[in-house]
Amino acid sequence: MLQKRASPDAFDRQAYLIALLVFLAGSTNAAVVPFIGFYIIQVLGHAPATLGLYSVTAMVASIVASRIYGERVDAGVRVRPLLLLSVLGAFVAAAAATFGNLALLVAITATGMGLSNAASTLVFSYGRYHGRVKSLDTASYNAFLRMMVSLAWMLLPAAAYLIVDLAGAKAVFINAMLMATIWGGLALAIVPRGQTCPMERREEGQIDTGRNLPLLLAATASFCMSFAHSLCASALPVFLVREVGLPDYAPGLSLSVKCAMEVLLILLAPRIMRRVSARILLCIAAVMAIIAFNIIASVETLPAMIVGAAMEGAYYGLFAGTSLTFIQGFARGRTARATALYMNSIFLAALFAVPLMGFVAQYASFGISIRLASVGAGAGLLLLFLTRRQVSE
């Protein structure tokens, strides 16, 4: 029997190259997605409500593309052509955005970024397949790949705003086109021409022939936790500056502390999973989330904000480092479908959370929006409890 390797130091060269591919894919998205709202409202001067047109189109495109990609990959379709389609989507999306036309942004940029987002399903599925073939430790490698996404989102949004300050908004999209080109070249170099990630072979009684209720429960729990995270994250910057009265640098400091804790806990999550199950670890993350949201909503000083940010990063790091492995554990051989459900749970969460935050903030306050995130974390905890008798792989 092959011995599973337990730490990132044991990963082979291809495993690290796949992680680099994840980082570049995440960086291309992170260079554009957080900037689009600012671009539409602040640079182009459109009403905030128009951002909803872009967001809905992008999220629908992401969800549909992820679902199609997942089904096709499970069926044994080659990975590289689908991945290059996502790269092309990102390149065309950035190119269309340079014209500054709202119709092009909604029709082309949003659709192209939806295809780009769906690449995560492909690369995570490829990583899982490579890990299975090479007998890598699944939890450690999933967490390592997920950490690369977090690193991309730590670095690139700030870089985008630095670029716009130095060279203007159009330069942000030109940079994204360059990154998409590098991403495409790396995909050609790393992913073998005939690479597939077919369904895992199962015994007769284990073949997935119908609705997989445990998988749906696990994905819905991920949706609830992601919804809570999106609700808090979207309300936090304005809450800290406008309602609490902290300095303008406070949201950036909070994000830095949160991201540092997030990366640390993503790396620690696989080690903890060797002592407790993924479900128990996710339950701990949900309880920590409820505590974190209420601490953050009660912040009055910078030290209290730092404590809340550290708690937020800790819970989300545990969740991000564990949830993909937990969901794939109910895949019944259809890993790409499970991965697509995981990614769609994140996309859908953002789709619903941001408009709800705006509605609650308008009629109540941003602080109430953050406290409301506790409800999402509580719902996730309940759904995790309902999976306690389901057997994962």
Side-chain angles (χ1 to χ4, degrees), residues 240-302:
L240 292 175
V241 175
R242 182 184 297 180
E243 295 187 3
V244 180
L246 294 179
D248 289 344
Y249 65 80
L253 176 61
S254 174
L255 183 62
S256 297
V257 173
K258 183 252 187 186
C259 287
M261 288 295 294
E262 179 182 329
V263 170
L264 175 62
L265 268 295
I266 286 175
L267 291 176
L268 289 177
R271 299 176 182 271
I272 301 173
M273 272 192 283
R274 297 188 195 114
R275 299 180 179 273
V276 299
S277 69
R279 187 181 67 83
I280 294 298
L281 193 54
L282 286 173
C283 288
I284 293 171
V287 173
M288 290 175 63
I290 293 171
I291 297 172
F293 295 140
N294 284 282
I295 289 176
I296 292 169
S298 303
V299 160
E300 294 182 353
T301 63
L302 277 174

Short mmCIF file of all heavy atoms in Angstrom, two decimals, residues 240-302:
data_model
loop_
_atom_site.label_atom_id
_atom_site.label_comp_id
_atom_site.label_asym_id
_atom_site.label_seq_id
_atom_site.Cartn_x
_atom_site.Cartn_y
_atom_site.Cartn_z
N LEU A 240 -16.81 50.23 10.00
CA LEU A 240 -15.69 50.67 10.83
C LEU A 240 -15.45 52.16 10.72
O LEU A 240 -15.17 52.83 11.73
CB LEU A 240 -14.42 49.91 10.41
CG LEU A 240 -14.39 48.41 10.73
CD1 LEU A 240 -13.13 47.77 10.15
CD2 LEU A 240 -14.47 48.16 12.23
N VAL A 241 -15.60 52.72 9.53
CA VAL A 241 -15.29 54.14 9.33
C VAL A 241 -16.49 55.03 9.64
O VAL A 241 -16.37 56.03 10.37
CB VAL A 241 -14.80 54.38 7.88
CG1 VAL A 241 -14.61 55.87 7.62
CG2 VAL A 241 -13.51 53.62 7.62
N ARG A 242 -17.66 54.67 9.12
CA ARG A 242 -18.82 55.55 9.24
C ARG A 242 -19.52 55.40 10.58
O ARG A 242 -19.86 56.40 11.22
CB ARG A 242 -19.81 55.28 8.11
CG ARG A 242 -21.04 56.20 8.16
CD ARG A 242 -22.05 55.86 7.10
NE ARG A 242 -21.51 56.05 5.74
CZ ARG A 242 -22.21 55.81 4.65
NH1 ARG A 242 -23.45 55.35 4.74
NH2 ARG A 242 -21.65 56.02 3.47
N GLU A 243 -19.76 54.17 11.02
CA GLU A 243 -20.57 53.97 12.24
C GLU A 243 -19.73 53.93 13.51
O GLU A 243 -20.17 54.39 14.55
CB GLU A 243 -21.39 52.68 12.10
CG GLU A 243 -22.43 52.76 10.99
CD GLU A 243 -23.37 51.55 10.97
OE1 GLU A 243 -23.25 50.68 11.85
OE2 GLU A 243 -24.21 51.49 10.07
N VAL A 244 -18.52 53.37 13.43
CA VAL A 244 -17.67 53.32 14.62
C VAL A 244 -16.81 54.57 14.73
O VAL A 244 -16.48 55.02 15.83
CB VAL A 244 -16.78 52.05 14.59
CG1 VAL A 244 -15.89 51.98 15.82
CG2 VAL A 244 -17.64 50.80 14.51
N GLY A 245 -16.46 55.15 13.59
CA GLY A 245 -15.64 56.36 13.61
C GLY A 245 -14.15 56.10 13.69
O GLY A 245 -13.38 56.98 14.12
N LEU A 246 -13.70 54.93 13.26
CA LEU A 246 -12.27 54.63 13.25
C LEU A 246 -11.60 55.31 12.06
O LEU A 246 -12.26 55.73 11.12
CB LEU A 246 -12.06 53.11 13.20
CG LEU A 246 -12.53 52.32 14.44
CD1 LEU A 246 -12.28 50.83 14.24
CD2 LEU A 246 -11.85 52.81 15.71
N PRO A 247 -10.26 55.43 12.08
CA PRO A 247 -9.56 56.10 10.96
C PRO A 247 -9.77 55.38 9.63
O PRO A 247 -10.14 54.20 9.59
CB PRO A 247 -8.08 56.02 11.40
CG PRO A 247 -8.12 55.81 12.87
CD PRO A 247 -9.35 55.03 13.16
N ASP A 248 -9.49 56.07 8.54
CA ASP A 248 -9.70 55.51 7.21
C ASP A 248 -8.84 54.28 6.93
O ASP A 248 -9.19 53.46 6.08
CB ASP A 248 -9.42 56.57 6.13
CG ASP A 248 -10.48 57.66 6.11
OD1 ASP A 248 -11.56 57.44 6.70
OD2 ASP A 248 -10.23 58.72 5.51
N TYR A 249 -7.71 54.17 7.65
CA TYR A 249 -6.85 53.01 7.42
C TYR A 249 -7.33 51.75 8.14
O TYR A 249 -6.80 50.67 7.94
CB TYR A 249 -5.40 53.31 7.83
CG TYR A 249 -5.20 53.57 9.31
CD1 TYR A 249 -5.12 52.52 10.23
CD2 TYR A 249 -5.09 54.86 9.80
CE1 TYR A 249 -4.93 52.76 11.58
CE2 TYR A 249 -4.90 55.11 11.15
CZ TYR A 249 -4.81 54.05 12.03
OH TYR A 249 -4.62 54.29 13.38
N ALA A 250 -8.35 51.90 8.99
CA ALA A 250 -8.81 50.78 9.81
C ALA A 250 -9.28 49.57 8.98
O ALA A 250 -8.92 48.43 9.30
CB ALA A 250 -9.91 51.23 10.77
N PRO A 251 -10.09 49.76 7.92
CA PRO A 251 -10.51 48.59 7.14
C PRO A 251 -9.34 47.83 6.53
O PRO A 251 -9.34 46.59 6.50
CB PRO A 251 -11.40 49.20 6.05
CG PRO A 251 -11.92 50.46 6.64
CD PRO A 251 -10.78 50.99 7.47
N GLY A 252 -8.32 48.54 6.06
CA GLY A 252 -7.14 47.87 5.50
C GLY A 252 -6.38 47.09 6.56
O GLY A 252 -5.93 45.96 6.32
N LEU A 253 -6.23 47.70 7.75
CA LEU A 253 -5.56 47.01 8.85
C LEU A 253 -6.34 45.76 9.25
O LEU A 253 -5.77 44.69 9.48
CB LEU A 253 -5.41 47.96 10.04
CG LEU A 253 -4.81 47.36 11.32
CD1 LEU A 253 -3.40 46.85 11.07
CD2 LEU A 253 -4.82 48.40 12.44
N SER A 254 -7.66 45.91 9.34
CA SER A 254 -8.52 44.77 9.69
C SER A 254 -8.36 43.64 8.67
O SER A 254 -8.22 42.46 9.04
CB SER A 254 -9.98 45.21 9.75
OG SER A 254 -10.84 44.11 9.96
N LEU A 255 -8.35 43.98 7.38
CA LEU A 255 -8.21 42.97 6.34
C LEU A 255 -6.85 42.28 6.41
O LEU A 255 -6.76 41.05 6.22
CB LEU A 255 -8.40 43.61 4.96
CG LEU A 255 -8.36 42.67 3.76
CD1 LEU A 255 -9.47 41.63 3.84
CD2 LEU A 255 -8.46 43.47 2.46
N SER A 256 -5.79 43.04 6.70
CA SER A 256 -4.46 42.45 6.80
C SER A 256 -4.38 41.44 7.94
O SER A 256 -3.84 40.34 7.78
CB SER A 256 -3.41 43.55 7.00
OG SER A 256 -3.37 44.41 5.89
N VAL A 257 -4.92 41.81 9.10
CA VAL A 257 -4.91 40.89 10.25
C VAL A 257 -5.75 39.65 9.94
O VAL A 257 -5.34 38.51 10.20
CB VAL A 257 -5.45 41.60 11.51
CG1 VAL A 257 -5.62 40.60 12.66
CG2 VAL A 257 -4.53 42.74 11.92
N LYS A 258 -6.92 39.88 9.35
CA LYS A 258 -7.81 38.78 9.00
C LYS A 258 -7.14 37.81 8.03
O LYS A 258 -7.18 36.59 8.21
CB LYS A 258 -9.10 39.34 8.42
CG LYS A 258 -10.14 38.28 8.09
CD LYS A 258 -10.28 38.09 6.61
CE LYS A 258 -11.43 37.16 6.29
NZ LYS A 258 -11.50 36.82 4.85
N CYS A 259 -6.52 38.34 6.98
CA CYS A 259 -5.89 37.48 5.96
C CYS A 259 -4.70 36.72 6.52
O CYS A 259 -4.48 35.55 6.17
CB CYS A 259 -5.46 38.32 4.77
SG CYS A 259 -6.85 38.89 3.75
N ALA A 260 -3.91 37.37 7.38
CA ALA A 260 -2.77 36.68 7.99
C ALA A 260 -3.23 35.49 8.83
O ALA A 260 -2.66 34.39 8.74
CB ALA A 260 -1.97 37.66 8.86
N MET A 261 -4.26 35.68 9.64
CA MET A 261 -4.81 34.58 10.44
C MET A 261 -5.44 33.51 9.55
O MET A 261 -5.33 32.31 9.82
CB MET A 261 -5.85 35.11 11.42
CG MET A 261 -5.27 35.89 12.58
SD MET A 261 -4.23 34.84 13.66
CE MET A 261 -5.46 33.73 14.33
N GLU A 262 -6.07 33.95 8.48
CA GLU A 262 -6.72 33.01 7.56
C GLU A 262 -5.71 32.05 6.94
O GLU A 262 -5.91 30.83 6.94
CB GLU A 262 -7.44 33.79 6.47
CG GLU A 262 -8.15 32.93 5.43
CD GLU A 262 -8.80 33.77 4.35
OE1 GLU A 262 -9.23 34.89 4.64
OE2 GLU A 262 -8.86 33.29 3.20
N VAL A 263 -4.61 32.60 6.43
CA VAL A 263 -3.59 31.76 5.81
C VAL A 263 -2.98 30.79 6.82
O VAL A 263 -2.78 29.60 6.54
CB VAL A 263 -2.50 32.63 5.16
CG1 VAL A 263 -1.30 31.79 4.73
CG2 VAL A 263 -3.06 33.38 3.96
N LEU A 264 -2.70 31.28 8.03
CA LEU A 264 -2.13 30.43 9.08
C LEU A 264 -3.06 29.27 9.40
O LEU A 264 -2.62 28.11 9.48
CB LEU A 264 -1.87 31.27 10.34
CG LEU A 264 -1.38 30.50 11.57
CD1 LEU A 264 -0.04 29.85 11.29
CD2 LEU A 264 -1.29 31.43 12.78
N LEU A 265 -4.35 29.54 9.57
CA LEU A 265 -5.29 28.49 9.95
C LEU A 265 -5.59 27.53 8.79
O LEU A 265 -5.88 26.36 9.01
CB LEU A 265 -6.58 29.10 10.49
CG LEU A 265 -6.65 29.32 12.01
CD1 LEU A 265 -6.62 27.99 12.75
CD2 LEU A 265 -5.52 30.21 12.51
N ILE A 266 -5.53 28.03 7.55
CA ILE A 266 -5.68 27.13 6.41
C ILE A 266 -4.57 26.08 6.43
O ILE A 266 -4.81 24.89 6.18
CB ILE A 266 -5.65 27.92 5.08
CG1 ILE A 266 -6.96 28.67 4.88
CG2 ILE A 266 -5.42 26.98 3.89
CD1 ILE A 266 -6.97 29.58 3.65
N LEU A 267 -3.35 26.50 6.76
CA LEU A 267 -2.24 25.56 6.80
C LEU A 267 -2.33 24.61 7.99
O LEU A 267 -1.91 23.46 7.91
CB LEU A 267 -0.92 26.33 6.85
CG LEU A 267 -0.55 27.10 5.58
CD1 LEU A 267 0.73 27.91 5.79
CD2 LEU A 267 -0.37 26.14 4.41
N LEU A 268 -2.90 25.09 9.08
CA LEU A 268 -3.02 24.25 10.28
C LEU A 268 -4.19 23.28 10.20
O LEU A 268 -4.18 22.23 10.86
CB LEU A 268 -3.17 25.12 11.53
CG LEU A 268 -1.94 25.90 11.99
CD1 LEU A 268 -2.28 26.77 13.19
CD2 LEU A 268 -0.80 24.94 12.34
N ALA A 269 -5.20 23.61 9.40
CA ALA A 269 -6.42 22.79 9.35
C ALA A 269 -6.16 21.31 9.06
O ALA A 269 -6.72 20.44 9.74
CB ALA A 269 -7.41 23.38 8.35
N PRO A 270 -5.31 20.96 8.07
CA PRO A 270 -5.08 19.53 7.83
C PRO A 270 -4.46 18.80 9.01
O PRO A 270 -4.78 17.63 9.26
CB PRO A 270 -4.13 19.53 6.62
CG PRO A 270 -4.33 20.84 5.96
CD PRO A 270 -4.64 21.80 7.07
N ARG A 271 -3.59 19.48 9.73
CA ARG A 271 -2.99 18.86 10.92
C ARG A 271 -4.05 18.60 11.98
O ARG A 271 -4.05 17.56 12.64
CB ARG A 271 -1.88 19.76 11.48
CG ARG A 271 -0.73 20.01 10.51
CD ARG A 271 0.27 20.99 11.10
NE ARG A 271 1.35 21.27 10.17
CZ ARG A 271 2.49 20.58 10.08
NH1 ARG A 271 2.68 19.54 10.89
NH2 ARG A 271 3.41 20.91 9.21
N ILE A 272 -4.95 19.57 12.15
CA ILE A 272 -6.01 19.39 13.15
C ILE A 272 -6.95 18.26 12.72
O ILE A 272 -7.44 17.49 13.55
CB ILE A 272 -6.79 20.71 13.34
CG1 ILE A 272 -5.84 21.82 13.79
CG2 ILE A 272 -7.90 20.54 14.37
CD1 ILE A 272 -6.49 23.19 13.83
N MET A 273 -7.18 18.13 11.40
CA MET A 273 -8.08 17.09 10.90
C MET A 273 -7.54 15.68 11.13
O MET A 273 -8.27 14.71 10.99
CB MET A 273 -8.37 17.29 9.41
CG MET A 273 -9.55 18.19 9.14
SD MET A 273 -10.09 18.13 7.41
CE MET A 273 -8.84 19.14 6.64
N ARG A 274 -6.26 15.56 11.45
CA ARG A 274 -5.74 14.24 11.79
C ARG A 274 -6.14 13.82 13.20
O ARG A 274 -6.03 12.65 13.57
CB ARG A 274 -4.22 14.22 11.66
CG ARG A 274 -3.76 14.48 10.23
CD ARG A 274 -2.28 14.27 10.06
NE ARG A 274 -1.86 14.87 8.80
CZ ARG A 274 -1.05 15.93 8.69
NH1 ARG A 274 -0.54 16.48 9.78
NH2 ARG A 274 -0.72 16.42 7.52
N ARG A 275 -6.63 14.79 13.98
CA ARG A 275 -7.05 14.51 15.36
C ARG A 275 -8.57 14.53 15.51
O ARG A 275 -9.11 13.79 16.33
CB ARG A 275 -6.41 15.52 16.31
CG ARG A 275 -4.88 15.48 16.31
CD ARG A 275 -4.30 16.50 17.27
NE ARG A 275 -2.86 16.45 17.29
CZ ARG A 275 -2.13 15.65 18.07
NH1 ARG A 275 -2.74 14.83 18.91
NH2 ARG A 275 -0.82 15.67 18.03
N VAL A 276 -9.22 15.41 14.75
CA VAL A 276 -10.69 15.47 14.80
C VAL A 276 -11.21 15.42 13.37
O VAL A 276 -10.49 15.73 12.42
CB VAL A 276 -11.20 16.75 15.50
CG1 VAL A 276 -10.72 16.81 16.94
CG2 VAL A 276 -10.77 17.99 14.74
N SER A 277 -12.47 15.06 13.19
CA SER A 277 -13.04 14.94 11.85
C SER A 277 -13.24 16.33 11.24
O SER A 277 -13.31 17.35 11.94
CB SER A 277 -14.38 14.21 11.91
OG SER A 277 -15.36 15.02 12.56
N ALA A 278 -13.37 16.33 9.89
CA ALA A 278 -13.61 17.59 9.19
C ALA A 278 -14.92 18.22 9.64
O ALA A 278 -15.01 19.45 9.77
CB ALA A 278 -13.63 17.34 7.68
N ARG A 279 -15.94 17.41 9.90
CA ARG A 279 -17.24 17.94 10.33
C ARG A 279 -17.11 18.65 11.67
O ARG A 279 -17.66 19.74 11.87
CB ARG A 279 -18.28 16.82 10.41
CG ARG A 279 -19.69 17.33 10.69
CD ARG A 279 -20.67 16.18 10.79
NE ARG A 279 -20.39 15.35 11.95
CZ ARG A 279 -20.81 15.63 13.18
NH1 ARG A 279 -21.53 16.72 13.40
NH2 ARG A 279 -20.53 14.84 14.18
N ILE A 280 -16.41 18.03 12.62
CA ILE A 280 -16.22 18.66 13.94
C ILE A 280 -15.46 19.96 13.80
O ILE A 280 -15.78 20.97 14.45
CB ILE A 280 -15.48 17.69 14.89
CG1 ILE A 280 -16.33 16.46 15.19
CG2 ILE A 280 -15.11 18.40 16.19
CD1 ILE A 280 -17.63 16.76 15.91
N LEU A 281 -14.44 19.98 12.93
CA LEU A 281 -13.65 21.19 12.76
C LEU A 281 -14.51 22.31 12.15
O LEU A 281 -14.40 23.48 12.54
CB LEU A 281 -12.46 20.88 11.86
CG LEU A 281 -11.35 21.95 11.80
CD1 LEU A 281 -10.86 22.28 13.20
CD2 LEU A 281 -10.20 21.46 10.93
N LEU A 282 -15.38 21.95 11.22
CA LEU A 282 -16.28 22.95 10.64
C LEU A 282 -17.29 23.45 11.68
O LEU A 282 -17.66 24.63 11.66
CB LEU A 282 -17.00 22.36 9.44
CG LEU A 282 -16.15 22.20 8.17
CD1 LEU A 282 -16.93 21.44 7.10
CD2 LEU A 282 -15.69 23.54 7.63
N CYS A 283 -17.74 22.57 12.55
CA CYS A 283 -18.64 23.01 13.63
C CYS A 283 -17.93 24.01 14.55
O CYS A 283 -18.53 25.01 14.97
CB CYS A 283 -19.12 21.80 14.44
SG CYS A 283 -20.31 20.74 13.58
N ILE A 284 -16.66 23.74 14.85
CA ILE A 284 -15.88 24.68 15.66
C ILE A 284 -15.76 26.02 14.94
O ILE A 284 -15.90 27.09 15.55
CB ILE A 284 -14.48 24.10 15.96
CG1 ILE A 284 -14.60 22.87 16.87
CG2 ILE A 284 -13.57 25.15 16.60
CD1 ILE A 284 -13.29 22.11 17.04
N ALA A 285 -15.52 25.97 13.62
CA ALA A 285 -15.42 27.21 12.83
C ALA A 285 -16.73 27.99 12.88
O ALA A 285 -16.72 29.22 12.97
CB ALA A 285 -15.05 26.86 11.39
N ALA A 286 -17.86 27.29 12.81
CA ALA A 286 -19.17 27.96 12.84
C ALA A 286 -19.39 28.66 14.17
O ALA A 286 -19.89 29.80 14.22
CB ALA A 286 -20.29 26.95 12.57
N VAL A 287 -19.04 28.00 15.27
CA VAL A 287 -19.19 28.62 16.60
C VAL A 287 -18.27 29.83 16.72
O VAL A 287 -18.67 30.90 17.22
CB VAL A 287 -18.88 27.58 17.70
CG1 VAL A 287 -18.85 28.26 19.07
CG2 VAL A 287 -19.92 26.46 17.69
N MET A 288 -17.03 29.69 16.23
CA MET A 288 -16.10 30.83 16.25
C MET A 288 -16.63 31.99 15.42
O MET A 288 -16.45 33.16 15.78
CB MET A 288 -14.73 30.38 15.73
CG MET A 288 -13.97 29.46 16.66
SD MET A 288 -12.42 28.86 15.91
CE MET A 288 -11.52 30.40 15.72
N ALA A 289 -17.29 31.67 14.31
CA ALA A 289 -17.84 32.71 13.44
C ALA A 289 -18.92 33.51 14.17
O ALA A 289 -18.94 34.75 14.10
CB ALA A 289 -18.42 32.08 12.17
N ILE A 290 -19.80 32.83 14.87
CA ILE A 290 -20.87 33.51 15.60
C ILE A 290 -20.27 34.46 16.65
O ILE A 290 -20.70 35.61 16.79
CB ILE A 290 -21.79 32.48 16.27
CG1 ILE A 290 -22.54 31.68 15.20
CG2 ILE A 290 -22.79 33.16 17.21
CD1 ILE A 290 -23.31 30.49 15.73
N ILE A 291 -19.24 33.98 17.35
CA ILE A 291 -18.57 34.82 18.35
C ILE A 291 -17.89 36.01 17.67
O ILE A 291 -17.99 37.17 18.12
CB ILE A 291 -17.55 34.00 19.14
CG1 ILE A 291 -18.25 32.88 19.93
CG2 ILE A 291 -16.74 34.89 20.08
CD1 ILE A 291 -17.31 31.90 20.59
N ALA A 292 -17.20 35.74 16.54
CA ALA A 292 -16.45 36.79 15.84
C ALA A 292 -17.37 37.90 15.34
O ALA A 292 -17.07 39.09 15.49
CB ALA A 292 -15.68 36.18 14.67
N PHE A 293 -18.52 37.54 14.75
CA PHE A 293 -19.43 38.54 14.22
C PHE A 293 -19.95 39.46 15.32
O PHE A 293 -20.08 40.67 15.12
CB PHE A 293 -20.60 37.88 13.50
CG PHE A 293 -20.19 37.10 12.26
CD1 PHE A 293 -20.79 35.88 11.96
CD2 PHE A 293 -19.20 37.57 11.42
CE1 PHE A 293 -20.42 35.17 10.84
CE2 PHE A 293 -18.82 36.86 10.30
CZ PHE A 293 -19.43 35.65 10.01
N ASN A 294 -20.24 38.90 16.46
CA ASN A 294 -20.76 39.72 17.56
C ASN A 294 -19.68 40.58 18.19
O ASN A 294 -19.96 41.70 18.65
CB ASN A 294 -21.43 38.82 18.60
CG ASN A 294 -22.80 38.34 18.14
OD1 ASN A 294 -23.77 39.07 18.18
ND2 ASN A 294 -22.86 37.10 17.67
N ILE A 295 -18.43 40.09 18.20
CA ILE A 295 -17.32 40.93 18.66
C ILE A 295 -17.12 42.10 17.70
O ILE A 295 -17.00 43.26 18.11
CB ILE A 295 -16.02 40.10 18.77
CG1 ILE A 295 -16.10 39.12 19.95
CG2 ILE A 295 -14.81 41.02 18.93
CD1 ILE A 295 -14.90 38.21 20.06
N ILE A 296 -17.11 41.80 16.39
CA ILE A 296 -16.88 42.84 15.39
C ILE A 296 -17.98 43.90 15.44
O ILE A 296 -17.71 45.11 15.36
CB ILE A 296 -16.82 42.21 13.98
CG1 ILE A 296 -15.56 41.35 13.85
CG2 ILE A 296 -16.84 43.29 12.90
CD1 ILE A 296 -15.53 40.48 12.62
N ALA A 297 -19.23 43.47 15.61
CA ALA A 297 -20.35 44.41 15.64
C ALA A 297 -20.34 45.28 16.89
O ALA A 297 -21.05 46.29 16.95
CB ALA A 297 -21.67 43.65 15.54
N SER A 298 -19.54 44.89 17.90
CA SER A 298 -19.46 45.65 19.14
C SER A 298 -18.18 46.50 19.24
O SER A 298 -17.92 47.11 20.28
CB SER A 298 -19.52 44.70 20.35
OG SER A 298 -20.69 43.91 20.31
N VAL A 299 -17.40 46.52 18.18
CA VAL A 299 -16.10 47.21 18.19
C VAL A 299 -16.28 48.71 18.42
O VAL A 299 -17.17 49.34 17.85
CB VAL A 299 -15.37 46.96 16.85
CG1 VAL A 299 -14.30 48.00 16.60
CG2 VAL A 299 -14.77 45.57 16.84
N GLU A 300 -15.40 49.27 19.27
CA GLU A 300 -15.38 50.72 19.48
C GLU A 300 -13.97 51.28 19.38
O GLU A 300 -13.80 52.49 19.23
CB GLU A 300 -15.97 51.06 20.86
CG GLU A 300 -17.46 50.75 20.97
CD GLU A 300 -18.03 51.14 22.32
OE1 GLU A 300 -17.23 51.54 23.20
OE2 GLU A 300 -19.26 51.06 22.50
N THR A 301 -12.95 50.41 19.46
CA THR A 301 -11.55 50.86 19.44
C THR A 301 -10.75 50.01 18.46
O THR A 301 -11.18 48.91 18.07
CB THR A 301 -10.91 50.75 20.84
OG1 THR A 301 -10.89 49.36 21.22
CG2 THR A 301 -11.70 51.55 21.87
N LEU A 302 -9.56 50.50 18.12
CA LEU A 302 -8.68 49.74 17.23
C LEU A 302 -8.24 48.40 17.81
O LEU A 302 -8.25 47.39 17.10
CB LEU A 302 -7.45 50.58 16.86
CG LEU A 302 -7.61 51.59 15.71
CD1 LEU A 302 -6.36 52.43 15.57
CD2 LEU A 302 -7.90 50.85 14.41
#
